[in-house]
Amino acid sequence: MSSTTRAKNQARHERDLVQLTNLPTATGREDRVIAWVKRWAGRRKNVELKHDRYGNLILKRRGVTSRKPILFTAHLDHPAFVVTAVEGKTLEAEFRGGVQDAYFVGSKVRHYSGNTSTKTSPPGTIRELRPAKPGGFKTVSVEFRQAVAAKPNDILTWDVGPAQIKAGRLHAPACDDLAGAAAMFAAFGELLKIYKDDSGGPDVRLLCTRAEEIGFVGAIAACKSGIIPQSARLIALENSKSFAESPLGGGPIVRVGDRTSTFDPELTHAVGQVAQALAAKDAAPAPGSHAENFRWQRKLMPGGTCEASAYQALGYTATCVCLPLGNYHNMNEARTRIEREVIDLADFHGLVQLLIAIGRTLDDPQATVPLTARLDQLYRDHRSLLV
């Protein structure tokens, strides 16, 4: 690929990244992001879009099928508020997601009407936080300066400003997990161009899930609905809280596990081999691009639990690749205030590059050698030493 083509591709991927991470979304109210996905698929004649009865979406290349497809999967929600009652200038809302109590009272939020509008009015201020009841959510009272034309099921998001690229980093309202979704759409789009023949190439699919932020309910539903082939290999894409040993700018992370479980060792090993092969090529970056020589990390990432744990527990083969994330769930812990989430653009472009390579080489026996095969070869080579 020429440096000019690579730069154009990255610019297009960044436009979609900014657009997606700027969309208002909430658990159970992912409508605006779902509409974006449907528009993306509708512009491509060789993409087939289906959904299950729970609203999870799956995209695949027309005419291509296999017994063991590769599924890149990302969730479409982000921690946010859903309106439950309107009383003049005050809105009552429940918060669907995980944010510490100290960040609520005094913080400002924005209101979005219906399920399509991205227009908003002046922000309101959270005046009261009430604890969750069993099986429910935290609730808040939000005061606006004037009466709000709101209805139940409208959403409120943190008032943090729009998605913006600054000094090689994206600062956005909702990187988790819309940046992961942007990466898989970018990679899938490139694979569609590489494999134009309907009958050839890898069977790579995208799975877009709902309601992850309250316990990956959409992913559980997808497992139960039958939309995921039982022999599929799922690679969950996430944005995971960055630590000193997993820094922004260190590259996308092959995540071997999370706070709850470790992931499929054979699939994780294969993804790691693909990443290692990319790093070994040590390709020079395109002039003017944010990409450097491919870098990657291999970490446990115990900051939270991701959908890969759910897929594993429900009998699927799964692992995870994530982006290191600053201000996880919009929490700036150093200042105890709500701010935009942050990812490094080089990490994002590296993730796109890795996903393309996974699609192209995961099933290439020359590129990914099963761990069991390596162990068998070691045994054959050196078992005589045990006699």
Side-chain angles (χ1 to χ4, degrees):
M1 180 186 300
S2 70
S3 60
T4 300
T5 300
R6 183 175 183 179
K8 287 182 178 179
N9 287 346
Q10 288 186 350
R12 184 177 64 256
H13 300 161
E14 287 177 17
R15 285 195 298 270
D16 285 348
L17 172 67
V18 170
Q19 189 176 72
L20 263 175
T21 57
N22 213 31
L23 288 176
T25 186
T27 296
R29 303 293 294 168
E30 301 92 346
D31 312 82
R32 294 164 179 81
V33 185
I34 290 172
W36 187 96
V37 172
K38 290 181 176 179
R39 289 194 298 270
W40 190 95
R43 293 194 297 268
R44 292 160 174 83
K45 294 181 179 180
N46 56 342
V47 172
E48 178 182 319
L49 172 66
K50 294 183 178 180
H51 60 83
D52 64 15
R53 61 185 181 275
Y54 304 108
N56 298 303
L57 305 173
I58 196 159
L59 296 83
K60 66 186 296 290
R61 196 155 48 97
R62 292 187 186 279
V64 177
T65 188
S66 68
R67 192 179 66 84
K68 295 177 62 178
I70 301 167
L71 265 67
F72 299 144
T73 175
H75 63 88
L76 306 183
D77 59 326
H78 184 75
F81 307 81
V82 176
V83 175
T84 56
V86 182
E87 300 175 7
K89 295 189 292 184
T90 300
L91 300 185
E92 301 294 324
E94 59 187 26
F95 186 73
R96 299 177 182 178
V99 170
Q100 297 168 17
D101 289 355
Y103 291 85
F104 285 85
V105 175
S107 292
K108 295 187 180 299
V109 297
R110 294 255 175 195
H111 165 251
Y112 296 89
S113 296
N115 56 15
T116 60
S117 175
T118 56
K119 294 181 179 179
T120 186
S121 54
T125 303
I126 298 174
R127 297 302 186 191
E128 183 181 359
L129 172 68
R130 295 177 291 275
K133 296 179 180 179
F137 305 100
K138 298 175 183 177
T139 58
V140 297
S141 293
V142 183
E143 182 181 316
F144 290 80
R145 291 183 178 179
Q146 57 189 24
V148 183
K151 295 180 180 179
N153 288 323
D154 285 355
I155 67 173
L156 308 173
T157 67
W158 300 114
D159 179 33
V160 293
Q164 183 181 19
I165 291 174
K166 297 188 297 184
R169 289 186 171 178
L170 173 74
H171 301 251
C175 292
D176 176 18
D177 187 26
L178 299 185
M184 75 179 189
F185 277 98
F188 191 51
E190 298 304 322
L191 289 169
L192 289 173
K193 290 188 286 186
I194 294 168
Y195 300 102
K196 296 179 181 179
D197 183 353
D198 288 348
S199 62
D203 184 5
V204 175
R205 308 179 191 182
L206 306 185
L207 173 61
C208 304
T209 61
R210 304 178 61 204
E212 189 271 350
E213 295 295 354
I214 58 169
F216 25 81
V217 177
I220 298 168
C223 293
K224 295 181 180 295
S225 75
I227 198 171
I228 307 174
Q230 191 61 47
S231 56
R233 291 155 298 168
L234 291 104
I235 301 174
L237 306 178
E238 263 293 358
N239 291 253
S240 187
K241 181 179 179 179
S242 175
F243 294 93
E245 64 274 14
S246 51
L248 274 70
I253 299 169
V254 177
R255 190 175 184 179
V256 301
D258 57 24
R259 187 169 59 193
T260 299
S261 72
T262 52
F263 307 144
D264 183 81
E266 197 66 70
L267 182 57
T268 304
H269 177 67
V271 170
Q273 288 183 82
V274 175
Q276 187 61 53
L278 280 176
K281 289 182 180 178
D282 202 29
S289 79
H290 296 289
E292 300 175 357
N293 295 345
F294 180 79
R295 303 177 67 188
W296 69 291
Q297 308 175 67
R298 186 178 187 273
K299 305 289 180 181
L300 179 67
M301 303 304 287
T305 303
C306 80
E307 289 177 318
S309 279
Y311 296 131
Q312 281 279 110
L314 293 173
Y316 289 89
T317 299
T319 191
C320 177
V321 181
C322 67
L323 293 170
L325 178 66
N327 295 340
Y328 169 74
H329 282 189
N330 302 106
M331 293 181 287
N332 183 324
E333 294 182 343
R335 304 173 68 181
T336 317
R337 60 180 288 177
I338 293 293
E339 294 185 356
R340 288 176 290 186
E341 294 184 319
V342 184
I343 61 168
D344 191 284
L345 281 184
D347 295 343
F348 172 78
H349 291 303
L351 176 57
V352 174
Q353 188 180 357
L354 176 57
L355 295 179
I356 294 169
I358 289 171
R360 299 185 72 177
T361 66
L362 189 68
D363 290 326
D364 181 352
Q366 301 300 315
T368 58
V369 180
L371 180 58
T372 51
R374 291 178 177 237
L375 296 175
D376 287 342
Q377 186 62 52
L378 285 169
Y379 175 70
R380 288 192 295 271
D381 288 345
H382 302 297
R383 64 183 175 181
S384 61
L385 298 177
L386 302 177
V387 175

